Amino acid sequence: FTAATLSALVVLSTGCVTKQTHEATLEELNKTREALGSAQRTINEQEMQIKRNTEEIARNKIELSDLAMKKTLLLHELDRTQKLLNTSQAQIETLRQIEEIYARFVKELLKMIDGGQLTVSIEKGRIVINLPENVLFATGSATINAGGEETLRQIAALLKEFSDRSF
């Protein structure tokens, strides 16, 4: 035998496998292909899920932006409404104080009001005391009569109690 023949024989003898080994290898190859196919399907499904999640995140970002804008608008509206409420409450308190003062006046001046000597009203947020001419002056006279002076004294004494108000 020559060296070339021996080499060819060695190569051929080492390249031979048994049928059982060959079939086992093919079976293992098929299982590997199935596992690879299953893994590829899983990867495809996960890529689709990633795509859906990415789209949902994008939609949520838009919705979040819209909600942030609405929140800003609502906060501005709340601030404006709060200012209106504060203004209204201040006006209500002022009116309550005016009504309280009016009630005190009416109570203090009730005898004179009942006697027709004067009237008390509120005009443009101010208390107005009206005295008929006949209470202050005799008919055809320009001089204040004694009853008129007494009425004015009583009113002046009452007004002194409310020095923090303008009439």
Side-chain angles (χ1 to χ4, degrees):
F1 290 104
T2 65
T5 308
L6 276 176
S7 293
L9 193 55
V10 170
V11 168
L12 285 176
S13 67
T14 59
C16 291
V17 291
T18 65
K19 184 176 180 180
Q20 184 179 2
T21 304
H22 178 67
E23 287 176 2
T25 304
L26 285 178
E27 187 177 327
E28 188 176 326
L29 179 62
N30 286 335
K31 286 180 182 178
T32 303
R33 284 182 180 158
E34 286 177 17
L36 181 60
S38 176
Q40 187 60 49
R41 284 188 297 279
T42 302
I43 289 171
N44 291 342
E45 289 171 4
Q46 289 176 347
E47 284 176 345
M48 290 299 293
Q49 186 62 45
I50 289 170
K51 182 180 178 185
R52 286 190 297 270
N53 290 347
T54 302
E55 290 169 354
E56 185 176 351
I57 288 170
R59 284 190 307 274
N60 289 341
K61 283 182 179 180
I62 292 170
E63 184 178 355
L64 183 61
S65 176
D66 289 346
L67 290 173
M69 189 183 323
K70 287 178 183 178
K71 177 184 174 186
T72 300
L73 292 173
L74 287 172
L75 286 174
H76 287 300
E77 181 66 19
L78 175 63
D79 185 53
R80 188 184 69 76
T81 303
Q82 187 65 45
K83 286 177 183 174
L84 284 173
L85 176 62
N86 291 342
T87 300
S88 295
Q89 287 174 334
Q91 289 172 343
I92 288 170
E93 179 59 24
T94 300
L95 288 174
R96 189 193 60 74
Q97 290 173 356
I98 289 170
E99 286 176 358
E100 185 179 294
I101 291 168
Y102 178 76
R104 283 179 54 198
F105 268 126
V106 170
K107 182 179 177 184
E108 295 293 326
L109 300 174
L110 194 54
K111 285 183 184 177
M112 289 186 272
I113 292 171
D114 288 344
Q117 292 174 303
L118 59 87
T119 60
V120 178
S121 61
I122 295 179
E123 294 178 16
K124 297 182 183 177
R126 294 182 171 245
I127 296 175
V128 177
I129 299 172
N130 294 307
L131 291 102
E133 290 177 19
N134 63 347
V135 170
L136 296 175
F137 306 100
T139 304
S141 172
T143 305
I144 296 177
N145 63 34
E149 278 187 43
E150 180 57 29
T151 300
L152 289 174
R153 272 195 209 76
Q154 290 173 355
I155 292 170
L158 183 59
L159 292 176
K160 283 182 184 179
E161 292 181 34
F162 300 98
S163 60
D164 62 331
R165 300 285 175 190
S166 59
F167 299 94

